[in-house]
Amino acid sequence: MTNALLQTNQLHKTYGKRDTAYEALRGVDLSIAPGESVAIVGKSGSGKSTLMHLLAGLDTATSGSVKVGGHDLGHMSEGELSSLRNTKFGFIFQQFFLQPRLTVLENVALPLKIANISVAESNRRAMEALEQVELTDKAKNRATDLSGGQKQRVAIARALVAGPEVIFADEPTGNLDTQTGHTVIKLLFDLHRKRHITLVVVTHDADLAKLCDRTIIIKDGKIQ
Amino acid sequence: MKLLEYAKTGSSNLARSKSRTFLTVTAILVGTFTLAMVTALSQGVRHYIDAQIQAYGQPNTMSVQLKANTKDERRSANNVLEYDPTHSAATGTVYMTDADVAAVKKAAGVTGAYPVYKVNPDYIQAGSGKKYVVQLQANYPTANNPEVTAGKYPDPADKTAIVLPYAYIQTLGFASAADALGKTVTVGLSQAGDKPGQVLRSETVQFKVAAVASDTLHAPGATISYLEQADLASYQTAGKLKAEGLFATTDPNQTSAQTASMKSALDAGGYSAQTFADETAHFNTVINMVQLGLSAFAGVALLAAALGIINTLLMAVLERTQEVGLLKALGMRPRGIFAIFLSEAVSIGFWGGVAGVGLAIAIGPLIDRILLKSVFKGFPGTHILLYPATDMIFIIAGAMALGLLAGTLPALRAARLDPITALRHD
């Protein structure tokens, strides 16, 4: 697959050294096409989170390579990796990670602020992103005033705001009840289809995994 | 993110833990306040001493002595002075002559030279009041006059004018300095004979009070015209005027290099010159040492405060580890994280500096009142402490630099955090 957006080759990741060394990934070969949705499932400790972190350039491989649009992450400087995450990737976490001191709008605009985009432009685009998740009425609220489902929708807006090619979601429904979880998943997949955003989801949730084009099962650091 | 944005973020982060920020800023304040007070006091005392010295001499003046009094080729191998009718006296002191006056005047940069004659008056008296001991000094033509409390400094050629020292106002029975102006005072003097206690002749001279000199620590004598001083000296010595030194005025636009070459020219001619700057330099050295010593205490306080900044920021980094992880995941570069924490440290330094300097300026009037009632009693003017803007800005900038230095370690630690580990941190 030459047109792969994300591609790994014999990816290894070892934590610790010598006696305490622990091999989280033992040679993963994976290719994800643009616009594809992929669920990475596995038991806890299987290495699925590690795989996502390596794909997203949040962590570096012990050996093997990760290529994004043909560019090897291992050859990028920390600055290039930062700007890659800022402009091409969006992140959704189980714990939301909204900044409690900031308003909903400011939370959504954070990636644009980091990218040094003017406040007016950031706010305009953040408002657009909030429209996508139907939370424009909460723009001025503190992030702490929201329910869990609303917080995750804000996180989705934040992941969307910079117009990413890939959204990485780490257990996006892990902290939500089933009902709210469904709403969030529906929203995420609507955006994925409408905007052809590649989706990489790490999850335990079988319902969520079923919605993806492909499911990758990780066991003991390898793809099953 | 732009630099201003980092600074704003850093400053607003300080408000998150108000009491911690307050305590750290207070620690800086102790140091900067001490520095500002030491500076204000040193500057004030420097100015005060300049005023004191002006009672004896003014800028662009100097006193010139003969080097012959210390080192003389006319002395024999056994240090016995050869007799010279024009130069020497029985005491061995070499007096200056008109030739010396002319020689000094010729030196480049010297605008005037006047022989200094000593007058030993018996007393000074106002009306028929009590008589008091007094010293007389001469008022030579100079470019600028010393500060006065009342009146106008008289023309050096005005032989009837006298400038009274502040201490004599109440003593002689005047209600105030202004009250003394224009009043007549009498100075009595006599020519002493060779026998002990012998008085050959005596006279009284009337002067009109033209001005009252500012109060000084060492009350100097009353000042009269240099022409009158010469006349009185001539009376006391029966016309045998003896000048131990010269009072010379110099070009006010002289550069320090020109001053140095003027002094070396005089030195080559056999004269030693002490400029006003030479005399004040002596005092300034002492003040500088005191200032340095006190500043060292402030420095120790600031050093302790710097440790406080480090501690505060390390705690902030720990508290906000997860936030740092998120910012990194969202694409903030390590240098951005570094800048946020560093700007927090600089902000602490800035506010500590502003608060310290502000407090020092705020309590200045109170300290002034205490000083003027005790140590600096009778000082003309309403304040001793001086707060030069450049020095105060320098103190604030210094506190900021201290913050910059202290913040580096915690900011580096934050910048190096691994995003995944940081995000998992609670």
Side-chain angles (χ1 to χ4, degrees), chain A residues 11 14 23 26 29 37 58 90 94 119 131-132 146 170 177 185-186 202 204 212 218:
Chain A
L11 204 56
T14 308
E23 245 188 319
R26 308 163 183 244
D29 292 308
S37 59
L58 286 167
Q94 184 178 359
V119 176
E131 248 167 63
Q132 302 277 325
L146 304 179
D170 189 356
D177 61 63
I185 290 168
K186 190 177 176 301
V202 169
H204 279 110
C212 294
I218 301 278

Side-chain angles (χ1 to χ4, degrees), chain B residues 32-33 35-36 39 353 357 390-400:
Chain B
T32 52
F33 169 76
L35 264 184
T39 307
V357 168
T390 46
D391 292 32
M392 297 302 123
I393 290 168
F394 188 76
I395 290 173
I396 294 171
M400 288 169 79

Side-chain angles (χ1 to χ4, degrees), chain B residues 179-232:
Chain B
D179 177 49
L181 296 179
K183 299 271 164 60
T184 302
V185 292
T186 308
V187 171
L189 73 164
S190 49
Q191 184 194 351
D194 293 336
K195 292 174 194 156
Q198 187 191 16
V199 174
L200 296 181
R201 54 176 174 156
S202 53
E203 66 166 4
T204 58
V205 192
Q206 313 281 314
F207 291 100
K208 223 178 202 171
V209 180
V212 176
S214 302
D215 195 19
T216 52
L217 281 176
H218 309 281
T223 308
I224 59 173
S225 162
Y226 72 112
L227 300 170
E228 181 68 9
Q229 178 94 345
D231 285 354
L232 296 182

Side-chain angles (χ1 to χ4, degrees), chain B residues 37-56:
Chain B
M37 283 312 284
V38 167
T39 307
L41 195 63
S42 309
Q43 290 291 344
V45 169
R46 239 181 234 125
H47 178 249
Y48 175 73
I49 289 196
D50 276 352
Q52 296 279 325
I53 294 171
Q54 278 189 21
Y56 300 95

